[in-house]
Amino acid sequence: LFSQVPLVEIDGIELTQTRAILSYLAAKYNLHGKDLKETFRIDMYADGTLDLMLMVALAVFKTPEEKEKSLALMVKKDKTQNFPIFEKILKEHGEDFLVGNKFSWADIQLLEAILMVEELDASVLSDFPLLKEFKTRINNIPTIKKFLHPGSHRKPPPDSHHVEYRF
Ligand SMILES: N[C@@H](CCC(=O)N[C@@H](CS)C(=O)NCC(=O)O)C(=O)O
């Protein structure tokens, strides 16, 4: 519709706009909360991680120096702001998942953010024991495990090839 990606073809329709796509998939696969307040917290946590992930996705459009700066800033922000928040959330409620002790799309989004940052700095979780356990737990959900196995559909971070293709 907007001549942009991402675009998902599913259920006989074409979905565009990142947040609308995620919202559709979350509703379809029961990854929202059990009530409005839980759903709000899930959306809030997921949006918080999405902002940082976009910094990685958009870094490819920058000059090499700007890209390096932007990625370093993202790793720093995750270590000092983002990951401490999620570590605290997990510590306070002591549950397996971020919201309502039930698997939601905020858990998927946080796992993806962790994996993205670990590709830049493998030791990024060293000060976050609960997030390390969280990562293992979510990784071990059979559908997630299958999705992440080597050679799977998970895409590598965008590189200069994506920019060449666009322009
Ligand atoms: N609001 C859109 C933004 C999508 C977007 O900016 N897509 C870029 C690639 S990252 C694009 O397709 N740009 C091509 C264009 O706008 O012509 C979303 O959240 O999905």
Side-chain angles (χ1 to χ4, degrees):
L1 185 66
F2 298 96
S3 301
Q4 288 182 327
V5 289
L7 179 144
V8 177
E9 291 176 305
I10 189 169
D11 299 338
I13 49 172
E14 290 188 343
L15 312 182
T16 63
Q17 294 298 336
T18 309
R19 284 165 213 265
I21 295 168
L22 292 170
S23 180
Y24 183 91
L25 295 175
K28 181 175 164 79
Y29 295 105
N30 189 25
L31 296 166
H32 280 312
K34 69 170 175 343
D35 56 33
L36 194 56
K37 285 184 182 167
E38 275 193 9
T39 294
F40 166 73
R41 277 167 57 219
I42 289 166
D43 289 351
M44 178 172 66
Y45 296 161
D47 269 1
T49 51
L50 195 61
D51 284 349
L52 288 168
M53 288 159 69
L54 280 177
M55 285 172 77
V56 176
L58 298 178
V60 71
F61 295 102
K62 302 187 168 178
T63 63
E65 302 82 57
E66 283 177 331
K67 180 180 171 184
E68 205 173 308
K69 254 199 207 159
S70 168
L71 293 180
L73 179 67
M74 195 203 75
V75 172
K76 188 173 163 208
K77 278 197 162 182
D78 269 328
K79 276 186 180 168
T80 58
Q81 289 180 22
N82 222 29
F83 289 166
I85 293 171
F86 290 109
E87 182 80 7
K88 188 165 170 253
I89 290 167
L90 292 170
K91 190 171 181 179
E92 277 177 0
H93 63 36
E95 294 170 351
D96 283 355
F97 303 103
L98 283 173
V99 177
N101 213 14
K102 174 184 169 291
F103 184 46
S104 74
W105 78 280
D107 299 308
I108 301 177
Q109 198 79 1
L110 179 56
L111 174 68
E112 178 60 31
I114 290 171
L115 296 176
M116 258 181 152
V117 188
E118 279 187 329
E119 279 163 1
L120 301 167
D121 176 351
S123 69
V124 80
L125 286 191
S126 52
D127 291 333
F128 305 104
L130 297 180
L131 279 178
K132 263 192 202 167
E133 285 173 21
F134 171 87
K135 180 191 150 190
T136 307
R137 193 159 52 243
I138 305 298
N139 255 324
N140 281 335
I141 294 172
T143 45
I144 302 279
K145 201 173 193 157
K146 190 171 164 210
F147 181 71
L148 291 176
H149 80 278
S152 72
H153 291 305
R154 183 167 183 264
K155 301 277 187 292
D159 59 19
S160 52
H161 167 79
H162 292 75
V163 182
E164 275 168 35
Y165 183 75
R166 169 71 181 88
F167 297 107

